[in-house]
Amino acid sequence: MGMTDVLIVGAGPTGLVLACDLARRGAAVRIVDRSPTPPRTSRAKGPNPRSLEVLDDLGVVDAVLAAGSAPLPMLKYRDRLPVTETDPWADSAPTPDAPYDRGWLIAQWRLEEILRERLAGYGVQVELGREVVGLAQDSGSATAEGDGGSVSLGGGDTIGDHVTVTLTDRTERTTGRTVERARYVVGCDGAHSSVRKMLGIGFEGTTAEDQVMVCGDVDLDGLGDLGDLGDLAEGAPDRGRWHQWFDEDGAVMLCPIPGTRTGWWFQAGPERDGRGRPLAPSADGFRRLLTRHTGLPGHRLTRADLLSTYRVNVRLADRFREGRVFLAGDAAHVHPIAGGLGMNTGIQDAFNLGWKLGLVLSGHAGAELLDTYEEERLPVAAHTLDLASERLRATLEAIRTPGGGLDTAITADTTGLGIGYRWSSLAAGAPGGYRTSAAPRPGDRAPDAPCRDAATGSRTRLHRVFAGPSTTVLGFGPGSAAVLREAAAAYGDAGVRTCRVYAAHEDHAGAEPGAVIDEEGHATAAYGTAYGTAYAGYGAAYGMESSGGTDAGTVLVIRPDHHVGVFASADDARSVRKYLRRLHEAGGRRTSMVDAVR
């Protein structure tokens, strides 16, 4: 029986992002899913701007953008007549520090296809039809029963060196059970997570039984691409809009599915029986709802599949870890649908956990680094639950008035770009160096910025510099050069890269490998840094803060998930050294930065 580094349970977007991140780090990763065929799920309508940055880092964003479409203006109706059109993104535009200013529409099953293709490029295939029915950690502690198996819950600080996993094969080819071993297991198996249940982790929250929606993918056939929006019986909704009918007695929403000619996402208030109880979704039911609210003839709806009933759930796991087993995505938290935050929070869980598991598995970081996953992501999940609940409340209020619609759910907070971890133990103290009050603090998302490669002159961006499984030490100003050299010498073979950012006026002849030129000053502006003797004298006049350092430069450590770890003056090499030692020098086994340059 061999040993897998990480066994991922569940092959939705969360599990696939985690698998891709671990596979590119060279981890021995396996991913299983109980479904005998690739899941076909369309409820999530696509990644938000922060998730697009994650997908960019993984090298799949171009495929995602090509397969999907930009979010559409929303046309709202009352009593079958158009009332108003709203474009929630009309006033937004890409900025140098955030090139993705809006989310992207793509069917969830298509996003999963792209991620599976990326994963296959690393030689890893999703193992379909395999269900985890037992977990045991060799800690010698009490055992709790799960469906078809059991889990040893762990005790004290002793969690053993692996998890024993029992799997069944649900395909027709074979039956029976196999027993596998993995150093870590991650449950990405959805709101009804078997992993969470076997661990005995509570999943407290509420289900609003009266807030129900039926969903599915439908074809509206034989109607052409465009129609008279004032007389839909003679045509079809324009595929360039997301159509929303909100009436006193119900609602229908139709959003075109990118990559299809006649496919639409269908969401509606359910039909109800004589007692007011919601009826299960069906093709015929969808046809009746379509005609009632839109006036479109029901027979034009020729296909309805992926049918589901959605009830508003707000639930959060008591904890995201039990020994060597972790929870991510819907297994750890389920959100109201407003704002599209559920899938995106799961993707960002995976991006937070992947680099930490990678460093621990490679022996560079101590196992205590894994404690920061729950420390960082559980508060984010709790905040997101509150945000989605508030957006749902605001949306339900808005649709009571003609012209109200789903645009109410979209705010700057739903982009994910403002999520950070300032409270984390990985946010190393107060920022140092010369900085504006708007500069990122330790724990914040590291801004992007366009620049040029100093060696080739080709255009690039800081997030492209950060991309991949490495920690980045970023230096501004001539005083940062010595710290960058020390970091490269001590940790260059341990997954740390260095990048000197040259201002346009600086001489970059003989620039270090990986250096970039901040031609237009966007990087300096995004990071609120300035250097040079002239600026140092006038910093206070221009709103700059100083840590008291005298060196002309600033150094930042950027975590592999694009969050700031350290923001220090160039003469504060100690802060940089201490941080890198925590991430890349487990047990003090590596040569220190001081020794490396003696």
Side-chain angles (χ1 to χ4, degrees), residues 62-81:
D62 290 341
V64 170
L65 296 177
S69 75
L72 303 174
M74 299 178 181
L75 185 59
K76 278 75 70 74
Y77 303 78
R78 183 62 64 103
D79 298 326
R80 300 183 179 180
L81 296 176

Side-chain angles (χ1 to χ4, degrees), residues 359-360 362-366 491 581 584-592:
L359 286 178
V360 172
S362 67
H364 293 308
Y491 296 101
R581 185 182 300 123
H584 297 275
E585 196 175 327
R589 292 191 295 270
R590 296 195 52 79
T591 303
S592 73

Side-chain angles (χ1 to χ4, degrees), residues 1-7 30 32 127 130-137 162-169 176-185:
M1 182 169 55
M3 178 81 80
T4 299
D5 284 337
V6 182
L7 176 69
R30 293 175 60 187
V32 300
E127 300 175 38
R130 306 212 71 193
E131 181 180 6
V132 174
V133 295
L135 296 171
Q137 302 188 58
H162 71 275
V163 184
T164 301
V165 185
T166 305
L167 300 107
T168 59
D169 195 323
R177 298 187 176 194
T178 59
V179 178
E180 315 283 354
R181 294 193 306 164
R183 289 182 173 85
Y184 295 97
V185 172

Side-chain angles (χ1 to χ4, degrees), residues 180-203:
E180 315 283 354
R181 294 193 306 164
R183 289 182 173 85
Y184 295 97
V185 172
V186 185
C188 305
D189 50 341
H192 301 289
S193 170
S194 296
V195 172
R196 186 190 65 244
K197 292 173 183 176
M198 285 189 285
L199 291 172
I201 292 177
F203 201 44

Side-chain angles (χ1 to χ4, degrees), residues 307-473:
L307 306 184
S308 63
T309 298
Y310 171 80
R311 287 178 171 82
V312 174
N313 278 286
V314 182
R315 294 186 181 276
L316 182 66
D318 294 345
R319 55 194 185 280
F320 287 8
R321 179 186 185 186
E322 184 68 57
R324 289 179 170 266
V325 185
F326 298 82
L327 300 176
D330 285 355
H333 42 77
V334 291
H335 306 256
I337 200 169
L341 297 170
M343 180 188 75
N344 287 289
T345 306
I347 287 174
Q348 292 152 38
D349 285 345
F351 202 49
N352 183 285
L353 180 59
W355 69 271
K356 296 171 181 178
L357 281 170
L359 286 178
V360 172
L361 287 166
S362 67
H364 293 308
E368 63 274 7
L369 179 64
L370 299 176
D371 295 337
T372 67
Y373 169 64
E374 178 180 298
E375 177 191 2
E376 293 183 341
R377 293 305 297 174
L378 196 152
V380 167
H383 165 76
T384 306
L385 288 173
D386 290 342
L387 172 62
S389 298
E390 193 278 328
R391 288 295 86 205
L392 176 63
R393 182 206 57 75
T395 301
L396 293 175
E397 180 66 27
I399 64 177
R400 294 179 181 178
T401 303
L406 302 186
D407 50 300
T408 305
I410 300 168
T411 68
D413 289 337
T414 62
T415 67
L417 297 174
I419 295 295
Y421 311 115
R422 290 185 181 182
W423 64 85
S424 171
S425 60
L426 291 179
Y434 288 105
R435 48 174 291 279
T436 66
S437 57
R441 304 263 176 172
D444 289 355
R445 165 188 168 271
D448 203 352
C451 44
R452 288 193 180 274
D453 186 284
T456 67
S458 60
R459 298 197 65 81
T460 186
R461 297 190 280 112
L462 284 184
H463 276 201
R464 291 289 168 89
V465 173
F466 303 157
S470 298
T471 301
T472 304
V473 184

